[in-house]
Amino acid sequence: MNEKTNSSDGYFALQVRRFQQLMEEVLLCCETRAAHLSKKFGLPDAELRCLMLFREDKYLTVKGLAQKMDVAKSRVTKIVSGLLAKDLVARIDDPTDGRIRLIHLTAKGRATCEEIAAFIGTVHEMILQELSPEERAAVLTALERLRTSMETVKEKVFS
């Protein structure tokens, strides 16, 4: 525990409970957004998340997707099959290793990714427009600090 807090401090305990409640509410908002995106774009959540990974990389393998999504390769194979059937991704042989198949976006997949990203961007703009410029700056600073704290704790607890 940090020297800044005293575990017997009642106010700190209240802050911990409020933090937990707010994090659960934010997570629920994110889950609701994910469900809305799935419905709006006609893609199961896993396919949508997989598709959006191609914004970072032009080509990915099943193994690479499995690592990025933190799921089994067999699960990724099923997800990719769904994307192939919708003509959102395609497979090609790796020119340097014939044993490896590379997955990439089709033109339709690229357009869908761009549409999804634009929609998410619009939602984020709308959220920030609810805040004054000073509140936006404070929220962004607090979120950056929260992310740093979460990464620090993750290293301590989960490694």
Side-chain angles (χ1 to χ4, degrees), residues 71-94:
V71 297
K73 284 181 6 181
S74 59
R75 177 75 180 115
V76 170
T77 299
K78 183 174 177 164
I79 293 167
V80 168
S81 293
L83 294 172
L84 285 164
K86 294 173 180 84
D87 191 34
L88 297 172
V89 298
R91 288 186 187 154
I92 60 169
D93 290 328
D94 184 332

Side-chain angles (χ1 to χ4, degrees), residues 83-121:
L83 294 172
L84 285 164
K86 294 173 180 84
D87 191 34
L88 297 172
V89 298
R91 288 186 187 154
I92 60 169
D93 290 328
D94 184 332
T96 61
D97 187 342
R99 298 170 297 167
I100 298 175
R101 304 273 288 167
L102 299 175
I103 304 159
H104 65 95
L105 292 176
T106 61
K108 180 180 176 184
R110 204 170 10 270
T112 301
C113 274
E114 290 170 7
E115 188 180 353
I116 293 166
F119 179 80
I120 292 170

Side-chain angles (χ1 to χ4, degrees), residues 48-88:
L48 194 142
R49 287 185 301 114
C50 182
L51 190 67
M52 296 308 285
L53 291 174
F54 287 94
R55 293 180 66 224
E56 299 170 12
D57 298 293
K58 185 173 181 174
Y59 297 100
L60 289 165
T61 61
V62 168
K63 181 179 178 181
L65 286 166
Q67 289 171 338
K68 286 179 177 271
M69 295 182 75
D70 195 26
V71 297
K73 284 181 6 181
S74 59
R75 177 75 180 115
V76 170
T77 299
K78 183 174 177 164
I79 293 167
V80 168
S81 293
L83 294 172
L84 285 164
K86 294 173 180 84
D87 191 34
L88 297 172

